[in-house]
Amino acid sequence: MVRFAPYKRFSWPLRWALRILTTLLVLVLVAAGGIVWVVRASFPQTGGELRLPGLAKPVTVRRDGFGVPQIYADTAADLFRAQGYVHAQDRFWEMDFRRKTTAGRLSELFGDSTLEIDKVVRTLGWRRVAEQELNLLTPEAKAGLDAYAAGVNAWMKDNEGFTTKSLEYAVLKLTNAAYEPEPWTPADSLAWLKAMAWDLRSNMDDEIERAVDAATIPRERVEELFPPYPYDRHRPIVSTGGVRDGAFTSGDRENATAAADALRRVSATLNAVPSLLGSGGDPKGIGSNSWVVSGKHTDTGKPLLANDPHLGSKMPSIWYQAGLHCRTLSAECPYDVSGFTFSGLPGVVIGHNRTIAWGFTNLAPDVADLYLERVRENTYEISGTWAPLETRTERIEVAGGQPVDLTVRATRHGPIVSDVFAPVAPLKTGPDGQGVEVALRWTALDPGNTGNAIFMLGRATNWEEFRKAAAQFEVPAQNLVYADTSGNIGYQAPGKIPVRSGGDGKWPAEGWTGEQEWTGFIPFDELPTAFNPEEGFIATANNAVVGPGYTHFLTDDWAYGYRSQRIADRITQAVSAGKVTRDVMSAIHQDSYNGLAPILVPHLRRVGGADTALFTGWDFTQGKDSAPAAYFNAVWRHLLTLTFDDELSEDLRPGGNDRWWEVVRRLLDDPADTWWDDVKTPAAEQRDDVLRAALAAASAELRRTLGDDPKAWTWGDLHTLELTNETFGTSGIGPIEWLFNRGPYRLSGGKDAVDATGWDAASGNYEVNWVPSMRMVVDLADLDASTWVNLTGASGHAFNGNYADQADLWAEGRTTPWPFTEEAVGRVTDDELTLTP
């Protein structure tokens, strides 16, 4: 999230004067009714007729009560042109903000308060790569992106005044009166795929954490903080199979301080970039659940497919629901698809068409390596020789200030990311003057084909066509689950995943040796896949994809399987009790079971005292009204603090995800382990004394914050969600934040529950910072019986009726009907707009 500070460039007294003036202006507008006019001026026309130049024939846009559009056209070009127009109607500010971020041009809007973000993005070169990818597009994809851009630009031409675009532009005018957005281009759309890849960038943060920790504690102790995946307790996604004949077949310390300092600079660089998918600074929170159940286990005899990507709690939601329908399906117009889209990108990312459905979770393979580079002046070492650094200059325009020139340096591995905020002077490590910098090798910085995949998914009609689309989905690598109306289910791991000459990418590599280079990528046909597995279901939740015997290295930094195993257990229970229904699928979405609790609670009850009586009879679920859930999570936070904070860097302290569950699970079996040495008692008693201290600290905290009656404590009073606008929601100006933010909402669930409402134990509170950003259940027996819900709503316009009209439903775990056929859409249509040539 961008911490937008519109007055940062002014002196402190003037900043306060401007804040007061702005507040008074907003209050005057409210009192005069002017703000109502400004707000409503940007609401889109959703009925009647509008002209959209370039159309071959009229296009119909039908919206239901939630403002979700279903678009009907006679040609593919008309369909995507209309999608661009409709996206702009509801979300143009979001689209403009996204493209400025991915191009490293936020400072053109917000001045020097966003200069650091622009420096990082320019160094990485997202936009440069997106422009190169235009040359890799299929004719179909290029035509779709061109048509989409034309639709956006037609809307811009119809809405040239700032009051008709969005309320955000009216607020921006208070500090940047000169800004005008330029026309939309296909590269603007493709660059968003780089933001997706950045937020889903796998184990880069773990790689830094290992190296920085190793500068202060022994390497073997660092390894204890990254336990192996528990294959004996938690199943992988693909339980059998391996590579045979080129296809996956189912069924079968020197210089440590200098390097650590350079990597700390890298960590600061990475964290400067806003999480456009909203991980809240916690990439481990970027996960997802998806599962699919075969018709042999369902009440309809056809598959059911569910998905809920865990992304940021942003306002408006990351997703935009829409349907794209060719009135007559043909080779020239092959789309009849509905689901979740990204504003700024044509097509449907997750959803279903007439015959197939698909969902995503983050595969998180190791696709990014950090290379320590020996640098001397403008050269770097390669196997004993010195080669010139590649350099380029990026000019960053700054609203209200002078342009800033940024020198970007790169080695053969990629851009140097350790000097973005520091003078170009590496940390010295040797007598001949060489220093250490860090370069980033990352698949997303190579031009790729993912832009083609979105279009191919939308028109795929069977498993073979789906896999062809998946083969194009290179970055970010995702777990793809599949179902079709013929009764088939499947799984495919796609992605551009490197093969290394040495090492496994878990630790930064010594770039000067040439011993840990990328030599190629895993062939698509050798990536794990499954089709109609014997057990009749597939569950993915960022867990291990395949067993340890798999030929290639994907990663060791999986989620540890607590969510995926819980999903599998719930499906198995439902099958044993009868058949899986849509209601069962939705109930699994809401499962709040804490997989750590049955491990830790017996130890807490054994040491006793404090308020451990709350755990009597607790079923380990985390409903928002649960007192034991409130107490348990508070104990967990204090336990992590007491055990690890004295030995780990402040910026690398435990966030509390399931990796830490596994760490503590092992420690509980060893009462004298040195991680327990924070309490100065005999070694044999240290574990229990730390547990007692955590229980007491949690009790004291909750009595201060929730009152003296433990039975009245509730998890939802601690575990709240504030839906915060990604730009002006943190302005520091109360009336402006009131305009754009919504909440708070009391929530159930928690970290690594299936209902994954994440929070960061290192933050000192329990506030939610990532969530199931949407939920869907697709019924392949009757697509009109499918259900979905978005985190907020369709509209990006504050105070529009569809700005947050799904938020209460989402918070309560409910979904809404998802009509697909034209007849079903007609029954729920509230507004009908005709776009004419």
Side-chain angles (χ1 to χ4, degrees), residues 468-523:
K468 288 180 181 178
Q472 297 284 302
F473 208 104
E474 295 179 338
V475 179
Q478 299 287 287
N479 296 307
L480 300 181
V481 294
Y482 167 93
D484 63 36
T485 54
S486 297
N488 301 301
I489 65 171
Y491 165 83
Q492 179 64 55
K496 196 172 183 180
I497 303 170
V499 176
R500 297 170 176 84
S501 61
D504 55 16
K506 291 193 292 185
W507 295 79
E510 295 178 340
W512 58 85
T513 67
E515 295 175 356
Q516 298 183 52
E517 301 300 319
W518 291 12
T519 60
F521 301 93
I522 300 174

Short mmCIF file of all heavy atoms in Angstrom, two decimals, residues 468-523:
data_model
loop_
_atom_site.label_atom_id
_atom_site.label_comp_id
_atom_site.label_asym_id
_atom_site.label_seq_id
_atom_site.Cartn_x
_atom_site.Cartn_y
_atom_site.Cartn_z
N LYS A 468 -2.55 -26.29 -22.87
CA LYS A 468 -1.85 -25.42 -23.81
C LYS A 468 -1.83 -23.98 -23.30
O LYS A 468 -0.82 -23.27 -23.44
CB LYS A 468 -2.51 -25.49 -25.19
CG LYS A 468 -2.26 -26.79 -25.93
CD LYS A 468 -2.95 -26.80 -27.30
CE LYS A 468 -2.72 -28.12 -28.03
NZ LYS A 468 -3.42 -28.15 -29.33
N ALA A 469 -2.94 -23.57 -22.72
CA ALA A 469 -2.98 -22.22 -22.12
C ALA A 469 -2.04 -22.15 -20.93
O ALA A 469 -1.30 -21.17 -20.75
CB ALA A 469 -4.41 -21.87 -21.71
N ALA A 470 -2.05 -23.19 -20.09
CA ALA A 470 -1.19 -23.21 -18.91
C ALA A 470 0.28 -23.13 -19.30
O ALA A 470 1.09 -22.52 -18.59
CB ALA A 470 -1.46 -24.47 -18.09
N ALA A 471 0.64 -23.74 -20.41
CA ALA A 471 2.03 -23.71 -20.86
C ALA A 471 2.52 -22.30 -21.15
O ALA A 471 3.72 -22.02 -21.10
CB ALA A 471 2.20 -24.60 -22.09
N GLN A 472 1.59 -21.41 -21.45
CA GLN A 472 1.94 -20.01 -21.70
C GLN A 472 1.99 -19.17 -20.42
O GLN A 472 2.52 -18.07 -20.43
CB GLN A 472 0.91 -19.39 -22.66
CG GLN A 472 0.86 -20.02 -24.03
CD GLN A 472 2.03 -19.60 -24.89
OE1 GLN A 472 2.25 -18.42 -25.15
NE2 GLN A 472 2.81 -20.57 -25.35
N PHE A 473 1.45 -19.72 -19.33
CA PHE A 473 1.38 -18.95 -18.08
C PHE A 473 2.71 -19.11 -17.34
O PHE A 473 2.88 -19.93 -16.46
CB PHE A 473 0.23 -19.45 -17.20
CG PHE A 473 -0.34 -18.39 -16.30
CD1 PHE A 473 -1.54 -17.78 -16.61
CD2 PHE A 473 0.35 -17.97 -15.17
CE1 PHE A 473 -2.07 -16.78 -15.79
CE2 PHE A 473 -0.16 -16.98 -14.35
CZ PHE A 473 -1.37 -16.38 -14.66
N GLU A 474 3.67 -18.27 -17.72
CA GLU A 474 5.05 -18.45 -17.27
C GLU A 474 5.34 -17.76 -15.93
O GLU A 474 6.03 -18.31 -15.08
CB GLU A 474 6.00 -17.90 -18.34
CG GLU A 474 5.94 -18.70 -19.63
CD GLU A 474 6.86 -18.14 -20.71
OE1 GLU A 474 7.22 -16.94 -20.61
OE2 GLU A 474 7.20 -18.89 -21.64
N VAL A 475 4.84 -16.53 -15.76
CA VAL A 475 5.15 -15.75 -14.56
C VAL A 475 3.92 -14.94 -14.19
O VAL A 475 3.37 -14.24 -15.04
CB VAL A 475 6.32 -14.78 -14.83
CG1 VAL A 475 6.62 -13.95 -13.59
CG2 VAL A 475 7.57 -15.54 -15.28
N PRO A 476 3.46 -15.01 -12.93
CA PRO A 476 3.95 -15.84 -11.84
C PRO A 476 3.46 -17.28 -11.97
O PRO A 476 2.34 -17.52 -12.42
CB PRO A 476 3.35 -15.18 -10.60
CG PRO A 476 2.05 -14.59 -11.09
CD PRO A 476 2.33 -14.13 -12.49
N ALA A 477 4.30 -18.22 -11.54
CA ALA A 477 3.92 -19.64 -11.61
C ALA A 477 2.82 -19.92 -10.59
O ALA A 477 2.94 -19.55 -9.43
CB ALA A 477 5.14 -20.51 -11.32
N GLN A 478 1.76 -20.58 -11.04
CA GLN A 478 0.59 -20.82 -10.21
C GLN A 478 0.21 -22.31 -10.23
O GLN A 478 0.47 -23.01 -11.21
CB GLN A 478 -0.61 -20.00 -10.72
CG GLN A 478 -0.38 -18.50 -10.69
CD GLN A 478 -0.41 -17.95 -9.28
OE1 GLN A 478 -1.45 -17.85 -8.66
NE2 GLN A 478 0.76 -17.61 -8.76
N ASN A 479 -0.41 -22.77 -9.15
CA ASN A 479 -1.09 -24.05 -9.18
C ASN A 479 -2.43 -23.85 -9.88
O ASN A 479 -3.24 -23.02 -9.44
CB ASN A 479 -1.36 -24.57 -7.77
CG ASN A 479 -0.10 -24.86 -6.99
OD1 ASN A 479 0.76 -25.59 -7.44
ND2 ASN A 479 0.01 -24.27 -5.80
N LEU A 480 -2.69 -24.58 -10.93
CA LEU A 480 -3.95 -24.46 -11.66
C LEU A 480 -4.80 -25.70 -11.41
O LEU A 480 -4.36 -26.82 -11.68
CB LEU A 480 -3.70 -24.32 -13.16
CG LEU A 480 -2.88 -23.11 -13.62
CD1 LEU A 480 -2.76 -23.11 -15.13
CD2 LEU A 480 -3.48 -21.81 -13.15
N VAL A 481 -6.00 -25.50 -10.87
CA VAL A 481 -6.95 -26.61 -10.75
C VAL A 481 -8.00 -26.45 -11.83
O VAL A 481 -8.32 -25.34 -12.26
CB VAL A 481 -7.59 -26.68 -9.35
CG1 VAL A 481 -6.56 -27.02 -8.30
CG2 VAL A 481 -8.33 -25.39 -9.01
N TYR A 482 -8.58 -27.59 -12.24
CA TYR A 482 -9.41 -27.64 -13.45
C TYR A 482 -10.60 -28.56 -13.21
O TYR A 482 -10.52 -29.56 -12.49
CB TYR A 482 -8.55 -28.19 -14.59
CG TYR A 482 -9.29 -28.61 -15.83
CD1 TYR A 482 -9.47 -27.73 -16.88
CD2 TYR A 482 -9.78 -29.91 -15.96
CE1 TYR A 482 -10.13 -28.13 -18.04
CE2 TYR A 482 -10.44 -30.31 -17.12
CZ TYR A 482 -10.62 -29.42 -18.16
OH TYR A 482 -11.27 -29.80 -19.30
N ALA A 483 -11.71 -28.21 -13.86
CA ALA A 483 -12.86 -29.11 -13.93
C ALA A 483 -13.61 -28.81 -15.22
O ALA A 483 -13.51 -27.70 -15.77
CB ALA A 483 -13.79 -28.91 -12.73
N ASP A 484 -14.35 -29.79 -15.72
CA ASP A 484 -15.14 -29.53 -16.92
C ASP A 484 -16.51 -30.18 -16.82
O ASP A 484 -16.77 -31.02 -15.94
CB ASP A 484 -14.40 -29.95 -18.20
CG ASP A 484 -14.08 -31.43 -18.30
OD1 ASP A 484 -14.91 -32.26 -17.85
OD2 ASP A 484 -13.01 -31.78 -18.83
N THR A 485 -17.38 -29.79 -17.72
CA THR A 485 -18.76 -30.27 -17.69
C THR A 485 -18.87 -31.73 -18.12
O THR A 485 -19.93 -32.34 -17.94
CB THR A 485 -19.65 -29.40 -18.60
OG1 THR A 485 -19.07 -29.35 -19.92
CG2 THR A 485 -19.76 -27.98 -18.06
N SER A 486 -17.80 -32.30 -18.67
CA SER A 486 -17.79 -33.72 -18.99
C SER A 486 -17.48 -34.59 -17.78
O SER A 486 -17.52 -35.82 -17.86
CB SER A 486 -16.76 -34.01 -20.09
OG SER A 486 -17.12 -33.33 -21.29
N GLY A 487 -17.12 -33.95 -16.66
CA GLY A 487 -16.88 -34.68 -15.43
C GLY A 487 -15.43 -34.84 -15.04
O GLY A 487 -15.13 -35.47 -14.02
N ASN A 488 -14.52 -34.28 -15.80
CA ASN A 488 -13.09 -34.42 -15.51
C ASN A 488 -12.62 -33.37 -14.51
O ASN A 488 -13.12 -32.24 -14.48
CB ASN A 488 -12.27 -34.28 -16.81
CG ASN A 488 -12.65 -35.31 -17.84
OD1 ASN A 488 -12.56 -36.51 -17.60
ND2 ASN A 488 -13.11 -34.85 -19.00
N ILE A 489 -11.61 -33.74 -13.73
CA ILE A 489 -10.91 -32.78 -12.87
C ILE A 489 -9.41 -32.93 -13.13
O ILE A 489 -8.95 -33.97 -13.60
CB ILE A 489 -11.21 -32.97 -11.37
CG1 ILE A 489 -10.68 -34.31 -10.86
CG2 ILE A 489 -12.69 -32.83 -11.10
CD1 ILE A 489 -10.76 -34.46 -9.34
N GLY A 490 -8.65 -31.88 -12.84
CA GLY A 490 -7.22 -31.96 -13.10
C GLY A 490 -6.44 -30.90 -12.35
O GLY A 490 -7.00 -29.99 -11.73
N TYR A 491 -5.12 -31.06 -12.42
CA TYR A 491 -4.18 -30.12 -11.82
C TYR A 491 -3.01 -29.96 -12.77
O TYR A 491 -2.53 -30.94 -13.37
CB TYR A 491 -3.67 -30.62 -10.47
CG TYR A 491 -2.44 -29.87 -9.99
CD1 TYR A 491 -2.56 -28.66 -9.33
CD2 TYR A 491 -1.15 -30.36 -10.27
CE1 TYR A 491 -1.43 -27.95 -8.95
CE2 TYR A 491 -0.03 -29.65 -9.88
CZ TYR A 491 -0.17 -28.44 -9.22
OH TYR A 491 0.94 -27.73 -8.86
N GLN A 492 -2.49 -28.72 -12.88
CA GLN A 492 -1.31 -28.48 -13.68
C GLN A 492 -0.43 -27.45 -13.00
O GLN A 492 -0.91 -26.39 -12.58
CB GLN A 492 -1.66 -27.98 -15.09
CG GLN A 492 -0.45 -27.70 -15.96
CD GLN A 492 0.37 -28.94 -16.24
OE1 GLN A 492 -0.16 -29.94 -16.74
NE2 GLN A 492 1.66 -28.90 -15.93
N ALA A 493 0.86 -27.75 -12.87
CA ALA A 493 1.86 -26.78 -12.41
C ALA A 493 2.50 -26.16 -13.64
O ALA A 493 3.19 -26.87 -14.38
CB ALA A 493 2.91 -27.47 -11.55
N PRO A 494 2.26 -24.90 -13.91
CA PRO A 494 2.94 -24.23 -15.03
C PRO A 494 4.10 -23.39 -14.50
O PRO A 494 4.43 -23.43 -13.32
CB PRO A 494 1.83 -23.34 -15.58
CG PRO A 494 1.11 -22.89 -14.34
CD PRO A 494 1.22 -24.03 -13.32
N GLY A 495 4.71 -22.61 -15.37
CA GLY A 495 5.67 -21.63 -14.92
C GLY A 495 7.05 -21.82 -15.51
O GLY A 495 7.46 -22.92 -15.90
N LYS A 496 7.78 -20.72 -15.55
CA LYS A 496 9.16 -20.70 -16.01
C LYS A 496 10.04 -20.87 -14.77
O LYS A 496 10.25 -19.94 -14.01
CB LYS A 496 9.43 -19.37 -16.70
CG LYS A 496 10.66 -19.32 -17.56
CD LYS A 496 10.68 -18.00 -18.33
CE LYS A 496 11.88 -17.94 -19.26
NZ LYS A 496 11.89 -16.65 -20.00
N ILE A 497 10.54 -22.09 -14.55
CA ILE A 497 11.23 -22.44 -13.31
C ILE A 497 12.66 -22.85 -13.65
O ILE A 497 12.88 -23.78 -14.42
CB ILE A 497 10.50 -23.58 -12.58
CG1 ILE A 497 9.05 -23.15 -12.31
CG2 ILE A 497 11.21 -23.93 -11.28
CD1 ILE A 497 8.16 -24.26 -11.81
N PRO A 498 13.65 -22.16 -13.09
CA PRO A 498 15.04 -22.37 -13.54
C PRO A 498 15.63 -23.70 -13.11
O PRO A 498 15.29 -24.27 -12.08
CB PRO A 498 15.79 -21.21 -12.88
CG PRO A 498 14.97 -20.83 -11.70
CD PRO A 498 13.55 -21.08 -12.10
N VAL A 499 16.57 -24.17 -13.94
CA VAL A 499 17.46 -25.28 -13.61
C VAL A 499 18.83 -24.66 -13.34
O VAL A 499 19.31 -23.83 -14.13
CB VAL A 499 17.54 -26.29 -14.76
CG1 VAL A 499 18.56 -27.39 -14.45
CG2 VAL A 499 16.17 -26.88 -15.04
N ARG A 500 19.47 -25.05 -12.23
CA ARG A 500 20.72 -24.43 -11.82
C ARG A 500 21.90 -25.40 -11.99
O ARG A 500 21.75 -26.61 -11.79
CB ARG A 500 20.64 -23.98 -10.36
CG ARG A 500 19.59 -22.90 -10.12
CD ARG A 500 19.36 -22.67 -8.63
NE ARG A 500 18.42 -21.57 -8.39
CZ ARG A 500 17.09 -21.72 -8.40
NH1 ARG A 500 16.56 -22.92 -8.61
NH2 ARG A 500 16.31 -20.68 -8.18
N SER A 501 23.06 -24.84 -12.31
CA SER A 501 24.26 -25.66 -12.44
C SER A 501 24.78 -26.11 -11.08
O SER A 501 25.52 -27.08 -10.97
CB SER A 501 25.35 -24.89 -13.18
OG SER A 501 25.71 -23.72 -12.45
N GLY A 502 24.40 -25.41 -10.03
CA GLY A 502 24.80 -25.74 -8.67
C GLY A 502 23.96 -24.97 -7.69
O GLY A 502 23.36 -23.95 -8.02
N GLY A 503 23.88 -25.48 -6.46
CA GLY A 503 23.08 -24.80 -5.46
C GLY A 503 21.60 -24.99 -5.70
O GLY A 503 21.17 -25.56 -6.71
N ASP A 504 20.80 -24.51 -4.76
CA ASP A 504 19.35 -24.66 -4.89
C ASP A 504 18.60 -23.34 -4.72
O ASP A 504 17.37 -23.34 -4.63
CB ASP A 504 18.83 -25.68 -3.88
CG ASP A 504 19.21 -25.34 -2.44
OD1 ASP A 504 19.62 -24.19 -2.17
OD2 ASP A 504 19.11 -26.23 -1.58
N GLY A 505 19.31 -22.22 -4.67
CA GLY A 505 18.65 -20.93 -4.61
C GLY A 505 18.16 -20.52 -3.24
O GLY A 505 17.55 -19.46 -3.10
N LYS A 506 18.43 -21.33 -2.22
CA LYS A 506 17.93 -20.99 -0.88
C LYS A 506 18.81 -19.97 -0.18
O LYS A 506 18.37 -19.32 0.76
CB LYS A 506 17.81 -22.26 -0.03
CG LYS A 506 16.70 -23.19 -0.48
CD LYS A 506 16.41 -24.26 0.54
CE LYS A 506 17.53 -25.24 0.69
NZ LYS A 506 17.17 -26.35 1.61
N TRP A 507 20.06 -19.85 -0.63
CA TRP A 507 20.99 -18.88 -0.06
C TRP A 507 21.52 -18.02 -1.19
O TRP A 507 21.66 -18.48 -2.33
CB TRP A 507 22.16 -19.59 0.64
CG TRP A 507 21.76 -20.38 1.83
CD1 TRP A 507 21.20 -21.63 1.86
CD2 TRP A 507 21.88 -19.98 3.20
NE1 TRP A 507 20.97 -22.03 3.14
CE2 TRP A 507 21.38 -21.04 4.00
CE3 TRP A 507 22.37 -18.85 3.84
CZ2 TRP A 507 21.35 -20.99 5.40
CZ3 TRP A 507 22.35 -18.79 5.22
CH2 TRP A 507 21.85 -19.84 5.99
N PRO A 508 21.87 -16.76 -0.93
CA PRO A 508 22.48 -15.93 -1.98
C PRO A 508 23.72 -16.60 -2.54
O PRO A 508 24.52 -17.19 -1.81
CB PRO A 508 22.82 -14.63 -1.23
CG PRO A 508 21.82 -14.56 -0.12
CD PRO A 508 21.63 -15.99 0.32
N ALA A 509 23.89 -16.50 -3.85
CA ALA A 509 25.00 -17.15 -4.54
C ALA A 509 26.16 -16.18 -4.71
O ALA A 509 25.98 -14.96 -4.78
CB ALA A 509 24.54 -17.65 -5.91
N GLU A 510 27.36 -16.72 -4.79
CA GLU A 510 28.55 -15.92 -5.08
C GLU A 510 28.65 -15.79 -6.59
O GLU A 510 29.06 -16.70 -7.30
CB GLU A 510 29.78 -16.60 -4.49
CG GLU A 510 29.74 -16.65 -2.96
CD GLU A 510 30.94 -17.37 -2.37
OE1 GLU A 510 31.61 -18.15 -3.10
OE2 GLU A 510 31.22 -17.16 -1.18
N GLY A 511 28.26 -14.64 -7.09
CA GLY A 511 28.13 -14.46 -8.53
C GLY A 511 29.44 -14.51 -9.28
O GLY A 511 29.45 -14.81 -10.48
N TRP A 512 30.56 -14.23 -8.60
CA TRP A 512 31.85 -14.19 -9.29
C TRP A 512 32.40 -15.57 -9.61
O TRP A 512 33.32 -15.71 -10.41
CB TRP A 512 32.85 -13.41 -8.45
CG TRP A 512 33.06 -13.96 -7.06
CD1 TRP A 512 33.90 -14.95 -6.68
CD2 TRP A 512 32.38 -13.53 -5.88
NE1 TRP A 512 33.80 -15.19 -5.33
CE2 TRP A 512 32.87 -14.31 -4.81
CE3 TRP A 512 31.41 -12.57 -5.61
CZ2 TRP A 512 32.42 -14.17 -3.50
CZ3 TRP A 512 30.96 -12.41 -4.31
CH2 TRP A 512 31.46 -13.20 -3.27
N THR A 513 31.83 -16.63 -9.00
CA THR A 513 32.40 -17.97 -9.19
C THR A 513 31.91 -18.65 -10.46
O THR A 513 32.58 -19.54 -10.99
CB THR A 513 32.06 -18.87 -7.99
OG1 THR A 513 30.64 -19.12 -7.96
CG2 THR A 513 32.50 -18.23 -6.68
N GLY A 514 30.71 -18.31 -10.92
CA GLY A 514 30.13 -19.00 -12.07
C GLY A 514 29.65 -20.40 -11.76
O GLY A 514 29.39 -21.19 -12.69
N GLU A 515 29.53 -20.73 -10.48
CA GLU A 515 29.19 -22.11 -10.10
C GLU A 515 27.71 -22.33 -9.84
O GLU A 515 27.30 -23.47 -9.64
CB GLU A 515 29.99 -22.49 -8.84
CG GLU A 515 31.50 -22.53 -9.07
CD GLU A 515 32.27 -22.80 -7.79
OE1 GLU A 515 31.61 -22.87 -6.72
OE2 GLU A 515 33.50 -22.91 -7.85
N GLN A 516 26.92 -21.27 -9.79
CA GLN A 516 25.49 -21.42 -9.50
C GLN A 516 24.67 -20.64 -10.52
O GLN A 516 23.85 -19.79 -10.18
CB GLN A 516 25.19 -20.94 -8.07
CG GLN A 516 25.93 -21.74 -7.01
CD GLN A 516 25.58 -21.30 -5.60
OE1 GLN A 516 24.40 -21.22 -5.25
NE2 GLN A 516 26.58 -21.02 -4.80
N GLU A 517 24.89 -20.97 -11.78
CA GLU A 517 24.22 -20.25 -12.87
C GLU A 517 22.95 -20.97 -13.30
O GLU A 517 22.79 -22.18 -13.11
CB GLU A 517 25.17 -20.13 -14.06
CG GLU A 517 26.46 -19.40 -13.76
CD GLU A 517 26.25 -17.98 -13.29
OE1 GLU A 517 25.36 -17.29 -13.85
OE2 GLU A 517 26.95 -17.56 -12.34
N TRP A 518 22.03 -20.21 -13.89
CA TRP A 518 20.85 -20.80 -14.51
C TRP A 518 21.25 -21.36 -15.88
O TRP A 518 21.82 -20.65 -16.70
CB TRP A 518 19.76 -19.76 -14.68
CG TRP A 518 19.15 -19.28 -13.39
CD1 TRP A 518 19.60 -19.52 -12.13
CD2 TRP A 518 17.98 -18.48 -13.25
NE1 TRP A 518 18.79 -18.91 -11.20
CE2 TRP A 518 17.78 -18.27 -11.86
CE3 TRP A 518 17.08 -17.93 -14.15
CZ2 TRP A 518 16.72 -17.51 -11.37
CZ3 TRP A 518 16.02 -17.17 -13.67
CH2 TRP A 518 15.83 -16.98 -12.29
N THR A 519 20.93 -22.62 -16.09
CA THR A 519 21.30 -23.27 -17.34
C THR A 519 20.11 -23.53 -18.25
O THR A 519 20.27 -24.03 -19.37
CB THR A 519 22.00 -24.61 -17.05
OG1 THR A 519 21.12 -25.46 -16.31
CG2 THR A 519 23.27 -24.39 -16.24
N GLY A 520 18.92 -23.22 -17.80
CA GLY A 520 17.71 -23.45 -18.58
C GLY A 520 16.51 -23.45 -17.67
O GLY A 520 16.58 -22.98 -16.52
N PHE A 521 15.41 -23.99 -18.18
CA PHE A 521 14.16 -24.02 -17.42
C PHE A 521 13.54 -25.42 -17.52
O PHE A 521 13.73 -26.12 -18.52
CB PHE A 521 13.20 -22.95 -17.92
CG PHE A 521 13.76 -21.55 -17.82
CD1 PHE A 521 14.41 -20.98 -18.90
CD2 PHE A 521 13.68 -20.85 -16.64
CE1 PHE A 521 14.96 -19.72 -18.82
CE2 PHE A 521 14.23 -19.58 -16.55
CZ PHE A 521 14.87 -19.01 -17.63
N ILE A 522 12.80 -25.80 -16.49
CA ILE A 522 12.17 -27.12 -16.50
C ILE A 522 11.18 -27.19 -17.67
O ILE A 522 10.31 -26.32 -17.79
CB ILE A 522 11.43 -27.37 -15.17
CG1 ILE A 522 12.41 -27.31 -14.00
CG2 ILE A 522 10.73 -28.73 -15.20
CD1 ILE A 522 11.73 -27.40 -12.64
N PRO A 523 11.28 -28.19 -18.53
CA PRO A 523 10.31 -28.31 -19.62
C PRO A 523 8.88 -28.42 -19.08
O PRO A 523 8.65 -29.10 -18.08
CB PRO A 523 10.74 -29.59 -20.35
CG PRO A 523 12.18 -29.78 -19.97
CD PRO A 523 12.30 -29.25 -18.57
#
